[in-house]
Amino acid sequence: MQSPSPEKNDFDRIGLSGGVAYNDHISSGIARYLKEAGFELLMHRHVQCGDGCISFGQSLVAGLGIDSERTR
């Protein structure tokens, strides 16, 4: 398996969220892998990783009036 590379992509930051982010063993392994590949890992600091974060994000998008159809 070839490692991902920021130079081969249009991004250099990757966010880790969802239930897997609660598992320290898995998330620390992912963090190490991505750091070695040259990516910056974004993780939660102020909201929980699971479903509450999804609700928070949906509320934020609704509050900002972002139209998903226009941003595609």
Side-chain angles (χ1 to χ4, degrees):
M1 180 174 155
Q2 185 176 355
S3 295
S5 158
E7 293 82 24
K8 294 180 182 178
N9 298 292
D10 291 335
F11 56 90
D12 60 358
R13 291 179 276 175
I14 296 177
L16 179 62
S17 186
V20 72
Y22 282 118
N23 185 313
D24 288 334
H25 179 72
I26 294 173
S27 60
S28 64
I30 292 170
R32 236 184 345 270
Y33 177 78
L34 292 173
K35 184 177 180 181
E36 289 171 4
F39 289 95
E40 177 185 358
L41 179 63
L42 306 174
M43 295 185 70
H44 297 273
R45 289 186 292 173
H46 301 291
V47 295
Q48 62 192 22
C49 301
D51 292 343
C53 180
I54 294 170
S55 299
F56 177 78
Q58 290 170 334
S59 299
L60 182 63
V61 168
L64 292 173
I66 298 172
D67 182 352
S68 64
E69 293 300 318
R70 284 193 338 223
T71 59
R72 289 186 186 180

